[in-house]
Amino acid sequence: MTATNTITSVNDLVIKFANVNGSGSASANNMFAKAVFRMGLSVSPKNIFPSNIQGLPTWYEVRVSDKGYIGRRGGIDIMVCVNPQSMAKDIQEVSPGGFFIYDNTKPMDLRLLRNDITFIGLPLMRICLDEYNDDRQRQLFKNVIYVGALAALINIEFDVLTGLIADQFEGKEKLIAPNIHAMELGFQYAQKHYQCPLSISLQRRDNLGDKILMDGNTACGLGAVYGGATMAGWYPITPSTSVVEGYEKYCKRLRIDPGTGKNNYAIIQAEDELAAIGMVIGASWNGARAFTATSGPGISLMSEFLGLAYFAEIPTVLIDVQRAGPSTGMPTRTQQSDITACAYASHGDTKHVLVFPSTPKECFDMTAEAFDLAEQLQTPIIMLTDLDLGMNDTMSDPLDWDDSRQYKRGKVFTAEDLESMSERFGRYVDVDGDGIPYRTYPGTHPTKGSFFTRGTSRDEYAVYTEDGSEYEKNMQRLLKKWETAKKYVPAPEIIIAEKGSSIGVLHFGTSTDATMEAIDYLTRDGLAVDSCRIRAFPFNQEIEDFIDSHRTVFVVEQNRDAQMRSLLVNDCEINPKHLIPVLNYDGMPITASFIQGKIVDYMDRAKVTPLRKDSANDNTANL
Amino acid sequence: MSYLKPSFRHPDLPVNDLGYTKKNYEGAISTLCAGCGHDSISSAITQAIFELSIAPHNIAKMSGIGCSSKTPTYFLGNSHGFNSVHGRMPSVATGANMANRDMIYVGVSGDGDTASIGMGQFTHAVRRNVNMMYIVENNGCYGLTKGQDSATSDVGSKSKKGDPNPFEPIDLASIALQLGATFVARSFSGDKEQLIPLIKAAIAHQGFAFIDVVSPCVTFNNNPGSTKGYEYVRDHLAATGTVDFVPMKDEITTSYEAGTSQEVTLHDGSVVHLHKADSRLDIHSRRSALALIKDYKANDQLLTGLLYMDPDSQELHETIQSSNKPLRALTELDLCPGNKVLTSINASLR
Ligand SMILES: Cc1ncc(C[n+]2csc(CCOP(=O)(O)OP(=O)(O)O)c2C)c(N)n1
Ligand code: SF4
Ligand SMILES: [Mg+2]
């Protein structure tokens, strides 16, 4: 069936692949996304997968945008459905004027037909049955065949695809020809039976400069290699697992001692998250750089140790790849919902330094930097990323490293320091007045600098005491250190509209791409908006100033309880009414249209006329 | 409060091979109850390490939470120590050990700390064969929280305030044997002659060396009816034999009757000599150790002494092939691949 009005676009589309989990579709779908990327076009693929290894529906949604937008757009222009299980729902999802590409080897249930979309049948199973004898081959090549058909249907350069196949099977050259053949089968079928290309198509551009396509977790793993981590303790949990896998992959390549062939790293798969973070704390206490990666349920288990690390002042690097809540439910869906749990993790008065990367490059940079921060501040640093950034290939600026960079190991007394000291060494003495004391690595000196590490029942010299005033004094020093931390953590990224605005949007992590796109739309529609990307907690002064200088401030986040907003209210003592939450928490990455809609709704309801920057300032006194 | 001891030193105090006196190995004055078994263990550790001539700063003391876990304050004051989290010392010790393989790790835990809240971590440290000595100061109760039964308390054993314990005990030595511990011993805090050589052997052993030391809690579990009190333990004690630890540098002078003794040479050349009281024991056989523990227990006896050791054990660093140099001593040069490598990684991501 062909609709009369079809969506017409060049280099602007959302295509969704509906597959069966475990059927080998992932590599074909990745090839599709990479092909778009190699045609110089902005691409943003997102896996939507079940908590299951084989048999359940899984989707892969790819957005192509000529303008370079990589947030999720919403709406499906083309659905490639290779899963009869989800077909009815998949058909419903296609936007009017869109295309539904499906395997028509078996006749389709006519009741599912829609007359506002175009159905394109490809006899994938038939072709495979005719062509291959082996069941596994039939299944694998089916995926390659639909990629070939798409090449004809939306105009992907065939050479780019063959180049990708050659890359993929480097070292297994035998597989190259059969894969190219399968792709040709699809290509030829589509060309013969349909008017190619469709009204939605691609054209080569040079939009990408030196951009790379990488998932955030691998970037974190690589950041840990560059940042000098020598020990990782971890326990598998989606979506964080590939952080340590990435670390291991690069360690195996880059961290083998040339003389002995031995490993300049230690990775221990722990028995649980309690042990994972315990190992990290033990290693850090003993002077190595160590880290762990986990997701929400792991954070819950690590909480006790995080408290100890905070009070005993042990550098600890923890990467939390957030997902939606508990282990049954939506563990394979994305959210930004561990913010409060991480910021205040543990017993007693604790607060932790958080950093929020938005891109793979930032995952790399911030992971490497987290080790500096942890050692400089002698406290846990928790990096909050999420499934969306962590597990999806995301376009990013390339990674770079300044070869003159030295690790900032913080305040550590060496044997010589101890030897030349006239005063008694005190592990928790605030020598410099910034709240950060000096530490010694175990085994530094035969008679000086040793101490017994424990929580808080000790004085400045780490000698046991339960004296309340010593406790208070220590807690005050930790607060001073918290203030110092504001100067060390990554500063926010503030973008002021051309003429400034009285409306500001705060955003962070994976809410950023969609927020920036929404701001473009709002600007186009005459509503100028300033933005501030939060990159760390504690919040530095610039964030407070940004809030103070805007009459209406939205906080965009992907959780139900406006957790970042709570932190802002709490930590910067901001009137809650001043911060308007924009919240998405259905487990899917937030979209620009959602943010735009919420902001427009609010402005309509509040009947606030946007003011120019100068008049906003006049008004601040009335807030 | 803990108190620093007066530093007055008698000029004639004996010194060890490093020129240190025993004072160099002592810690703060104990604040445990007078007569607590744990204090005797602290002093055995002090004595053993002094005699082994290990520089105190080359030792890291690791503990969990409990009266027992507090004791590292009371020995080896020149060593760093870490009073970590209840039941979680094994993971902290594992991490510390990964960071620096050149130090010696002395872990001290309690029966609550190990057999209940920390059972998971204990079992996994055993199976990984982390290179450390792990002592459980086993008093059958939770001393620090005032005497509740612990999981090592025998069926029917009565603590000071309690009813007879209705639950089956966990025998940590047996569990360690089953999980593949490469050195397993049991001792009694009141038997220093046995404990000191066992500690020496445990420290010299490469791999996870476990010693379950029955250590009465005088305040909560030393009453008639308790199977972990001094009197009961003394009356029911049996030993696998006497243990001599001969450091590598010393010559072996004693000779033993054939068949009644077993000799084990450790990786560093030291020798552990077991003069057997029960010829059925083969210290290279887990089975024989497990069977004997059961046999003695059936006769209401607590079998102490060296139970099992595997001198060729492969500790965790060897298993994972980590660098010979301590990981914490590696620098940017060893660790950071530099920008050129990054450029080629970038290229592979396009
Ligand atoms: C998470 C946690 N739960 C409970 C406690 C309280 N607690 C402190 S010590 C202890 C038991 C210690 O028993 P054991 O390890 O046998 O040591 P002992 O005092 O008998 O030497 C408990 C339950 C704690 N510190 N942490
Ligand atoms: S309560 Fe028991 S275990 Fe604790 S110090 Fe006193 S005697 Fe020792
Ligand atoms: Mg106890």
Side-chain angles (χ1 to χ4, degrees), chain A residues 576-619:
Chain A
K577 293 214 170 77
H578 193 172
L579 298 178
I580 300 123
V582 176
L583 305 170
N584 171 78
Y585 50 93
D586 63 359
M588 293 297 291
I590 196 168
T591 63
S593 56
F594 175 86
I595 300 168
Q596 182 192 11
K598 290 282 171 194
I599 292 180
V600 168
D601 274 1
Y602 179 86
M603 299 309 287
D604 283 353
R605 253 183 298 127
K607 294 224 174 9
V608 184
T609 20
L611 296 172
R612 296 272 176 248
K613 183 88 178 177
D614 0 321
S615 40
N617 283 343
D618 295 344
N619 267 346

Side-chain angles (χ1 to χ4, degrees), chain A residues 352-485:
Chain A
H352 302 293
V353 175
L354 313 178
V355 293
F356 305 96
S358 279
T359 65
K361 174 167 169 47
E362 218 167 28
C363 286
F364 173 82
D365 289 342
M366 278 187 176
T367 303
E369 199 188 337
F371 293 98
D372 283 352
L373 277 178
E375 292 193 321
Q376 287 176 296
L377 295 168
Q378 298 178 21
T379 199
I381 306 292
I382 307 177
M383 180 159 129
L384 284 164
T385 139
D386 59 26
L387 182 145
D388 183 14
L389 175 59
M391 291 189 70
N392 290 317
D393 278 340
T394 307
M395 279 195 352
S396 167
D397 287 334
L399 312 178
D400 61 42
W401 187 263
D402 172 3
D403 283 331
S404 67
R405 176 167 166 180
Q406 300 257 300
Y407 299 149
K408 298 180 184 130
R409 308 277 336 234
K411 299 185 189 179
V412 181
F413 280 138
T414 62
E416 297 76 59
D417 296 335
L418 291 165
E419 200 54 57
S420 62
M421 259 167 75
S422 50
E423 66 280 21
R424 178 179 166 205
F425 164 69
R427 167 68 181 101
Y428 300 105
V429 176
D430 187 4
V431 179
D432 304 324
D434 58 1
I436 306 172
Y438 285 77
R439 61 180 189 136
T440 53
Y441 299 150
T444 299
H445 190 282
T447 53
K448 294 177 173 173
S450 70
F451 63 94
F452 196 53
T453 305
R454 45 166 90 78
T456 49
S457 41
R458 36 93 178 142
D459 64 14
E460 291 179 310
Y461 295 91
V463 175
Y464 190 81
T465 174
E466 295 179 15
D467 181 349
S469 62
E470 286 290 347
Y471 179 85
E472 274 187 3
K473 196 164 122 193
N474 186 57
M475 294 306 281
Q476 285 302 322
R477 183 182 54 77
L478 286 173
L479 261 191
K480 194 190 276 177
K481 182 161 97 171
W482 184 250
E483 284 303 310
T484 303

Side-chain angles (χ1 to χ4, degrees), chain A residues 34 38 210-211 213 226 255 262-264 271 275 279 286 304 399 401 403 407 440 442-443 449-451 453, chain B residues 57 77 80-81 83 85 88 91 95-96 105 121 128 320-321 323-324 328 332 335-336 338-339 346 349-350:
Chain A
K34 195 94 182 228
R38 287 200 179 171
D210 57 0
K211 288 252 190 306
L213 196 57
Y226 274 73
R255 281 282 194 80
K262 287 193 158 187
N263 302 327
N264 284 338
E271 54 273 30
M279 289 173 192
N286 209 357
E304 186 187 22
L399 312 178
W401 187 263
D403 283 331
Y407 299 149
T440 53
S450 70
F451 63 94
T453 305
Chain B
H57 69 297
H80 272 66
N83 204 176
V85 173
R88 258 64 97 172
S91 64
Y105 297 87
Q121 296 216 340
R128 288 191 190 103
I320 65 168
Q321 284 293 299
S323 84
N324 299 333
R328 81 165 191 205
E332 284 89 345
L335 301 176
C336 186
N339 197 43
N346 282 328
L349 297 168
R350 290 194 181 108

Side-chain angles (χ1 to χ4, degrees), chain A residues 34 37-38 167 209-214 222 225-231 250 253-255 257 260-272 274-288 304-305 308 312 314 364 397-403 405-409 424 440-455 463-466, chain B residues 1-4 20 24 31 55-63 69-73 76-86 88-101 103 105 117 120-125 127-128 316-318 320-325 327-350:
Chain A
K34 195 94 182 228
F37 180 81
R38 287 200 179 171
D167 286 358
D210 57 0
K211 288 252 190 306
I212 57 169
L213 196 57
M214 185 181 205
L222 187 58
V225 174
Y226 274 73
T230 50
M231 200 267 154
Y250 286 113
R253 257 165 61 186
L254 305 169
R255 281 282 194 80
D257 182 79
T260 59
K262 287 193 158 187
N263 302 327
N264 284 338
Y265 64 94
I267 299 173
I268 309 284
Q269 183 184 319
E271 54 273 30
D272 54 30
L274 302 167
I277 190 131
M279 289 173 192
V280 170
I281 288 171
S284 301
W285 172 80
N286 209 357
E304 186 187 22
F305 257 129
L308 178 74
I314 297 167
F364 173 82
D397 287 334
L399 312 178
D400 61 42
W401 187 263
D402 172 3
D403 283 331
R405 176 167 166 180
Q406 300 257 300
Y407 299 149
K408 298 180 184 130
R409 308 277 336 234
R424 178 179 166 205
T440 53
Y441 299 150
T444 299
H445 190 282
T447 53
K448 294 177 173 173
S450 70
F451 63 94
F452 196 53
T453 305
R454 45 166 90 78
V463 175
Y464 190 81
T465 174
E466 295 179 15
Chain B
M1 280 297 279
S2 38
Y3 306 87
L4 294 169
Y20 290 124
N24 294 98
T31 59
H57 69 297
N58 282 337
I59 290 181
K61 304 172 289 182
M62 316 302 292
S63 64
S69 294
K70 281 166 83 166
T71 62
T73 321
L76 296 171
N78 283 318
S79 308
H80 272 66
F82 198 159
N83 204 176
S84 64
V85 173
H86 193 22
R88 258 64 97 172
M89 176 267 277
S91 64
V92 180
T94 304
N97 186 302
M98 289 298 97
N100 186 358
R101 63 188 298 170
M103 287 179 78
Y105 297 87
I117 192 165
Q121 296 216 340
F122 171 69
T123 58
H124 289 275
R127 57 180 276 277
R128 288 191 190 103
L316 183 53
H317 279 285
E318 293 170 35
I320 65 168
Q321 284 293 299
S322 45
S323 84
N324 299 333
K325 209 168 152 190
L327 289 174
R328 81 165 191 205
L330 302 176
T331 65
E332 284 89 345
L333 275 180
D334 312 292
L335 301 176
C336 186
N339 197 43
K340 215 174 129 195
V341 172
L342 215 46
T343 309
S344 73
I345 292 175
N346 282 328
S348 73
L349 297 168
R350 290 194 181 108

Side-chain angles (χ1 to χ4, degrees), chain A residues 485-500:
Chain A
K486 294 181 180 176
K487 287 181 232 141
Y488 283 70
V489 298
E493 201 175 80
I494 293 173
I495 301 177
I496 301 295
E498 209 172 299
K499 290 179 186 152

Side-chain angles (χ1 to χ4, degrees), chain A residues 13 64 132 146-147 174-175 247 347 393 395 455 478 567 604:
Chain A
L13 68 99
V64 182
Y132 307 105
Y146 71 67
V147 174
K174 271 208 320 236
L175 296 173
Y247 174 69
H347 39 49
D393 278 340
M395 279 195 352
L478 286 173
L567 282 196
D604 283 353

